[in-house]
Amino acid sequence: MNITRLKTCWHKLPRQTLRELQAKQLRAYLRDVVLPFHSYYRDLFRRHRLDWRVIENLDDLQEIPFTSKKDLSGGAKKTREFVIAPDPKELARRPSTILRGLVSGVSRTRRHLDREFRPIFMTSTTGRSADPVPFVYTAHDLAILRTAGFRLMQLAGGRSSDRMLNMFPFAPHLAFWQTHYAGTAFGVFMLSSGGGKTVGTDGNIRMLRKLNPDVLIGMPTFVYHVLREAALDGVRCDKLRGIVLGGEKVPQGLRRKLQECASQLEAQDISVISTYGFTEAKMAWCECLFPVGAEPSGYHLYPDLGIVEVIDPESGALREDGQPGEIVYTSLDARGSAVLRYRTGDIIEGGLTYEPCPYCRRTMPRLLGRISRRSDFREMQLDKVKGTLVDFNELEHVLDDMPHVGSWQIELCKVNDDPMEVDELVLHVCLADGGEESSISKEIKRALFARAELHPNRIEFHTDAEMRQLQGVGEKLKEQKVVDRRSKIETSQLSKTTNR
Ligand SMILES: [Zn+2]
């Protein structure tokens, strides 16, 4: 079967055919690109006595050891190890290069190889928990970023006549650049505000007023703040029909809140679509356009550009279709930085499916349900005896799903700022509408205990402006929804002790 079918029919192949073609492409990718030119995987395969022939079908992918965040971090040397960097002499000796040189001439062949292998662009991880890790792109990768962007636009129901406002923060992060390239690839008018840090909330509202956009794109918390403020300023956005979100989790409750905010700007029945992507994949995926009020049908993947597996986070074993587990990613066509079996640390609740999408009928693999981060399980010292593992993913969903809770922040600290004391959880809340504080306070306590078995020590209510300040809207690249001050207390107390 011809491998080009994977590219041309990426959205309409049956499971079996798709997996066969993916295995075929992976074999060729390992043989021609990764193993000759990627120093980390060349060594890894050598150490494990593997070669590209090990991949007979897609299940054989399990023979390749996982790559973790830890493998990628470790400074510039480590970053370079993950870049596909061919030896020019070796490249020149290849029969395919010689043939191309004979047919198209030496300078065109050189330009072609340059396009394929020379890094010209970079994004990096946001460095929430560790040092940012850079990922480089060649012209070949930028073409893929554009392809992924074009597909995002198609799936999310974009129209070439649309006017879009990109509110992702201007930074070397995937979300901003994926959006930018999606706009240019699709040929749509797009204004990039650069987010809150560049022109402030006011600047974004000004653009909203002037552009009267059809589609807004940005991070959920920031978009929510801007729409709330715009409503207070009496801005009209009557053409708005869609909001596309990325960079954070998007609970169903938050979609409803954004729809309500938009209706205050005179935009009715808007679609709120979520995207999912990460630096290491060098692209993002999205939900397709679904009826307002219905459940989304999951992230539509591009099987010709990468392989997504779902594994048991404890044992590493592959999960059956539809079973929850950790998302693992393998590049299939990347140049520049590339990863094989990269463990994202993200847990997908509904697993992977190959069934036709109930809305758009496409048959590419999809990731179903909520995504939570393994790193959002935090150890808390709630009593002096033992630590408790708290799922902050669930706390976020509880709060975002509550209709009267607008924006919020969880603050973790120590009782009396004493490092020897137990942990304290303070919840800061800004009400979505004119609800009554004491009854909402009770409602929050009830919901947090029912769904997370947790009692907040205090609930403090704030105005919109106070909450914007707490979360760092317009100051920070990403709004702070969970603030952990415990380690700072420990460090500062420790230095006080040692200085004494
Ligand atoms: Zn669909």
Side-chain angles (χ1 to χ4, degrees), residues 155 287-289 297-298 300 357-362 364 366:
L155 286 161
E287 299 160 345
C288 67
L289 192 63
S297 62
H300 294 46
C357 170
Y359 303 125
C360 70
R361 308 305 300 165
R362 292 177 177 97
M364 78 281 270
R366 282 174 292 130

Side-chain angles (χ1 to χ4, degrees), residues 1-293:
M1 203 180 321
N2 193 333
I3 208 164
T4 54
R5 272 195 78 203
L6 190 57
K7 203 159 267 319
T8 51
C9 304
W10 64 279
H11 56 287
K12 54 182 180 191
L13 292 170
R15 187 181 193 277
Q16 186 59 24
T17 315
L18 191 140
R19 289 173 64 85
E20 279 169 22
L21 287 171
Q22 278 188 316
K24 207 167 172 179
Q25 179 157 335
L26 180 63
R27 266 200 306 277
Y29 181 55
L30 290 176
R31 184 191 61 211
D32 300 338
V33 182
V34 179
L35 298 180
F37 305 134
H38 192 299
S39 66
Y40 179 84
Y41 290 114
R42 191 174 44 216
D43 288 354
L44 184 83
F45 272 59
R46 199 177 288 150
R47 280 205 310 276
H48 290 264
R49 296 173 193 278
L50 296 170
D51 78 4
W52 57 271
R53 292 176 195 87
V54 72
I55 307 291
E56 280 181 20
N57 59 60
L58 215 52
D59 287 337
D60 298 331
L61 193 55
Q62 293 174 82
E63 299 292 325
I64 304 175
F66 292 117
T67 300
S68 69
K69 280 193 198 325
K70 223 171 91 207
D71 295 321
L72 285 166
S73 54
K77 185 173 171 282
K78 206 73 196 173
T79 304
R80 274 198 301 276
E81 274 183 24
F82 276 87
V83 177
I84 292 164
D87 172 359
K89 282 188 201 137
E90 203 181 323
L91 212 52
R93 277 199 302 269
R94 285 191 155 189
S96 58
T97 312
I98 295 166
L99 188 65
R100 187 180 283 273
L102 289 171
V103 175
S104 355
V106 175
S107 64
R108 279 183 73 177
T109 304
R110 200 168 280 149
R111 273 205 304 279
H112 173 86
L113 293 175
D114 212 42
R115 239 186 91 71
E116 183 170 355
F117 292 109
R118 192 163 63 85
I120 55 168
F121 178 79
M122 190 188 103
T123 63
S124 81
T125 56
T126 47
R128 250 190 322 263
S129 47
D131 284 340
V133 177
F135 262 64
V136 297
Y137 294 61
T138 70
H140 174 95
D141 295 308
L142 283 183
I144 292 178
L145 190 64
R146 285 170 60 86
T147 301
F150 186 88
R151 292 176 184 176
L152 283 172
M153 286 282 186
Q154 269 187 327
L155 286 161
R159 299 173 192 154
S160 55
S161 57
D162 281 342
R163 286 141 71 95
M164 301 192 181
L165 180 58
N166 169 15
M167 301 203 291
F168 276 120
F170 176 65
H173 297 159
L174 177 70
F176 178 89
W177 291 101
Q178 176 68 91
T179 308
H180 168 76
Y181 280 104
T184 56
F186 200 65
V188 71
F189 183 89
M190 185 183 284
L191 174 62
S192 294
S193 74
K197 212 175 164 186
T198 315
V199 292
T201 311
D202 292 351
N204 281 272
I205 292 174
R206 231 175 8 252
M207 290 181 198
L208 207 56
R209 199 191 291 271
K210 281 193 181 158
L211 191 65
N212 194 4
D214 301 87
V215 179
L216 279 183
I217 309 160
M219 288 213 269
T221 318
F222 184 65
V223 173
Y224 178 78
H225 276 295
V226 169
L227 291 187
R228 287 271 294 181
E229 183 97 350
L232 292 173
D233 280 7
V235 176
R236 270 182 83 228
C237 279
D238 54 351
K239 282 172 70 187
L240 189 68
R241 59 181 179 82
I243 298 179
V244 180
L245 302 170
E248 282 174 10
K249 288 182 274 260
V250 184
Q252 277 299 84
L254 189 64
R255 293 184 204 245
R256 277 194 298 277
K257 282 174 201 168
L258 285 167
Q259 280 159 339
E260 280 162 24
C261 276
S263 73
Q264 289 171 17
L265 305 176
E266 295 181 36
Q268 301 306 323
D269 294 333
I270 61 155
S271 306
V272 181
I273 287 176
S274 172
T275 63
Y276 171 63
F278 41 91
T279 310
E280 295 81 359
K282 295 165 53 173
M283 68 183 83
W285 307 280
C286 75
E287 299 160 345
C288 67
L289 192 63
F290 60 98
V292 176

Side-chain angles (χ1 to χ4, degrees), residues 395 398-399 427 444-454 456:
L395 293 192
V398 171
L399 294 167
L427 183 60
I444 294 174
K445 282 181 186 160
R446 220 177 9 248
L448 282 181
F449 188 73
R451 281 172 61 185
E453 289 194 17
L454 204 73

Side-chain angles (χ1 to χ4, degrees), residues 257-484:
K257 282 174 201 168
L258 285 167
Q259 280 159 339
E260 280 162 24
C261 276
S263 73
Q264 289 171 17
L265 305 176
E266 295 181 36
Q268 301 306 323
D269 294 333
I270 61 155
S271 306
V272 181
I273 287 176
S274 172
T275 63
Y276 171 63
F278 41 91
T279 310
E280 295 81 359
K282 295 165 53 173
M283 68 183 83
W285 307 280
C286 75
E287 299 160 345
C288 67
L289 192 63
F290 60 98
V292 176
E295 288 283 320
S297 62
Y299 301 101
H300 294 46
L301 305 173
Y302 318 134
D304 54 329
L305 302 177
I307 299 170
V308 170
E309 300 168 274
V310 174
I311 61 156
D312 180 328
E314 301 306 324
S315 69
L318 265 191
R319 291 289 210 187
E320 299 279 314
D321 288 359
Q323 293 298 307
E326 184 177 343
I327 299 167
V328 173
Y329 181 78
T330 297
S331 313
L332 257 189
D333 199 18
R335 302 300 186 269
S337 312
V339 287
L340 301 178
R341 301 204 85 205
Y342 172 72
R343 289 185 68 156
T344 59
D346 292 341
I347 306 290
I348 181 83
E349 278 185 10
L352 197 63
T353 180
Y354 289 82
E355 293 297 311
C357 170
Y359 303 125
C360 70
R361 308 305 300 165
R362 292 177 177 97
T363 59
M364 78 281 270
R366 282 174 292 130
L367 285 170
L368 294 178
R370 307 195 310 192
I371 289 178
S372 49
R373 296 214 161 89
R374 289 194 85 196
S375 56
D376 286 345
F377 286 82
R378 292 175 193 233
E379 181 86 16
M380 284 192 72
Q381 200 69 41
L382 295 172
D383 59 54
K384 296 229 171 177
V385 186
K386 59 173 174 51
T388 311
L389 200 60
V390 179
D391 179 3
F392 276 74
N393 297 289
E394 189 59 27
L395 293 192
E396 291 190 32
H397 282 290
V398 171
L399 294 167
D400 276 325
D401 286 344
M402 295 189 76
H404 295 297
V405 175
S407 44
W408 52 265
Q409 186 183 61
I410 294 171
E411 183 188 350
L412 298 177
C413 45
K414 292 274 182 188
V415 170
N416 299 325
D417 281 354
D418 179 351
M420 303 309 286
E421 267 293 354
V422 293
D423 294 339
E424 216 178 21
L425 189 147
V426 182
L427 183 60
H428 300 276
V429 174
C430 172
L431 295 177
D433 47 41
E436 213 258 309
E437 287 183 7
S438 64
S439 65
I440 290 162
S441 192
K442 275 187 207 141
E443 207 182 306
I444 294 174
K445 282 181 186 160
R446 220 177 9 248
L448 282 181
F449 188 73
R451 281 172 61 185
E453 289 194 17
L454 204 73
H455 293 291
N457 297 68
R458 279 198 311 283
I459 299 179
E460 294 178 8
F461 289 91
H462 301 274
T463 62
D464 277 290
E466 286 166 351
M467 186 53 86
R468 272 201 296 280
Q469 200 165 15
L470 275 181
Q471 289 189 337
V473 177
E475 289 164 31
K476 300 233 166 14
L477 215 48
K478 194 168 185 167
E479 288 68 42
Q480 293 191 295
K481 292 176 94 174
V482 180
V483 178
D484 196 339

